[in-house]
Amino acid sequence: MNQYVTGAVIRKLREQNNMTQAELAEIIQVSDKAVSKWETGHGYPDITLLEPLAAALGISVLELLSGENIQNTNRCANMLRSLWYVCPVCQNVIHSTGQAMVSCCGITLPPMEAEPMDDEHRIRTEIVEDEYYVTMDHPMTKEHYISFLAAVSDNGVQLVKLYPEGNAEARFKRSRTKYLYACCNRHGLFRIKI
């Protein structure tokens, strides 16, 4: 992490929670003078206090460190508003149905923005009984490949992780599928509507 919690963030979150410095200090078992020092920039909380401080302020440690309070307003968890997070180090794939604070390999991941497919990233579908057979004519080398294919419906996600030197293909159940996604390790996320 290249950031550390700032006094301005602590003060903002404390005030949002309608707490005094003394109340916050009592919860995390420090003096109110310590909280005052943090908020005025004359000191920083010890690393051992980050977890209790974040809990007292009602956020995660990652949110505290980034200075961003993530509010997921998508309470109905609409699958069609899926967000994808892909780690550039290990290619781990994380899916969410709303805004989230996601970290992998020590990196805070931004959600990927899906683009319409282009000629180089054309997603082809063929109906085979009750499935979509999805293929892509795309390089699958160790340096440039499709890392996953996914199908999203209003009630679920189907994901197939792909690897270099394999085939860029997958089969997905057709039932209620609305979007297909493909993620290129170099060019990002692409989507088509079914």
Side-chain angles (χ1 to χ4, degrees), residues 71-135:
Q71 293 292 324
N72 188 349
T73 57
N74 185 14
R75 296 290 180 214
C76 64
N78 186 339
M79 297 303 289
L80 300 179
R81 294 182 184 156
S82 292
L83 294 174
W84 300 92
Y85 301 82
V86 179
C87 178
V89 177
C90 70
Q91 294 298 309
N92 192 13
V93 179
I94 298 108
H95 170 263
S96 75
T97 57
Q99 190 178 15
M101 181 67 73
V102 177
S103 177
C104 187
C105 295
I107 302 167
T108 301
L109 305 176
M112 297 185 80
E113 290 188 31
E115 300 177 28
M117 67 179 177
D118 57 22
D119 289 336
E120 189 179 348
H121 299 92
R122 184 153 307 281
I123 302 168
R124 293 181 180 84
T125 61
E126 180 183 332
I127 296 174
V128 179
E129 296 178 4
D130 66 338
E131 295 179 322
Y132 286 114
Y133 176 57
V134 178
T135 59

Side-chain angles (χ1 to χ4, degrees), residues 7-42:
V9 169
I10 294 171
R11 181 179 181 166
K12 179 183 85 172
L13 293 170
R14 177 183 58 77
E15 289 174 348
Q16 285 176 354
N17 285 289
N18 297 319
M19 271 191 266
T20 65
Q21 288 180 344
E23 290 169 334
L24 177 59
E26 185 177 331
I27 292 170
I28 59 175
Q29 299 179 353
V30 297
S31 70
D32 57 340
K33 289 181 182 181
V35 174
S36 177
K37 280 184 177 182
W38 302 339
E39 290 185 1
T40 58
H42 291 99

Side-chain angles (χ1 to χ4, degrees), residues 105-178:
C105 295
I107 302 167
T108 301
L109 305 176
M112 297 185 80
E113 290 188 31
E115 300 177 28
M117 67 179 177
D118 57 22
D119 289 336
E120 189 179 348
H121 299 92
R122 184 153 307 281
I123 302 168
R124 293 181 180 84
T125 61
E126 180 183 332
I127 296 174
V128 179
E129 296 178 4
D130 66 338
E131 295 179 322
Y132 286 114
Y133 176 57
V134 178
T135 59
M136 293 182 72
D137 185 23
H138 189 280
M140 291 296 285
T141 65
K142 289 182 180 177
E143 296 79 29
H144 188 196
Y145 60 95
I146 299 297
S147 66
F148 72 85
L149 293 169
V152 177
S153 64
D154 59 351
N155 65 352
V157 172
Q158 303 169 69
L159 182 130
V160 174
K161 185 78 173 102
L162 303 175
Y163 299 94
E165 301 176 359
N167 294 323
E169 63 182 15
R171 291 181 179 268
F172 300 110
K173 293 287 184 190
R174 286 179 49 206
S175 177
R176 299 165 71 163
T177 297
K178 303 291 186 207

Side-chain angles (χ1 to χ4, degrees), residues 40-51:
T40 58
H42 291 99
Y44 295 102
D46 186 87
I47 196 162
T48 60
L49 293 174
L50 292 183
E51 196 169 329

